Amino acid sequence: MSKIEWQLPQNEDRHFDRMIHHNSKLHAFVDGESLCGKYGISPNYYETTDVTEEEIMKNKELACKKCLSKLNVV
Ligand SMILES: [Zn+2]
């Protein structure tokens, strides 16, 4: 199974500076596409996060609901 990476889609106009903006959800990316089908990875516009799945499970409100449901964790 491919590794799941949690990434924060980044707005061109904003700079997140390592903080998770409360309006932005983390999406689960596998092979460069989010599980919810909304996003493809573009290195220029995505904040790389070190968020682990464990942290996501503890803070589900940080993550995209659709991505979570694809992982069967909702
Ligand atoms: Zn998503």
Side-chain angles (χ1 to χ4, degrees):
M1 188 180 158
S2 299
K3 193 175 176 284
I4 293 162
E5 291 183 60
W6 292 92
Q7 303 285 350
L8 184 65
Q10 192 166 17
N11 189 311
E12 272 184 84
D13 302 324
R14 278 188 258 154
H15 298 281
F16 282 96
D17 192 37
R18 287 194 151 267
M19 270 184 58
I20 295 167
H21 193 280
H22 67 279
N23 284 330
S24 296
K25 300 290 186 188
L26 289 154
H27 294 264
F29 287 87
V30 177
D31 295 332
E33 261 196 65
S34 69
L35 293 180
C36 60
K38 246 181 158 175
Y39 300 97
I41 279 189
S42 165
N44 290 329
Y45 300 116
Y46 288 78
E47 184 82 7
T48 305
T49 63
D50 306 325
V51 179
T52 63
E53 206 167 325
E54 199 177 65
E55 286 174 273
I56 293 288
M57 294 310 138
K58 282 186 210 153
N59 302 283
K60 283 183 184 155
E61 70 277 2
L62 294 179
C64 164
K65 283 204 174 80
K66 267 192 169 177
C67 285
L68 285 174
S69 72
K70 294 273 183 186
L71 294 171
N72 296 315
V73 293
V74 171

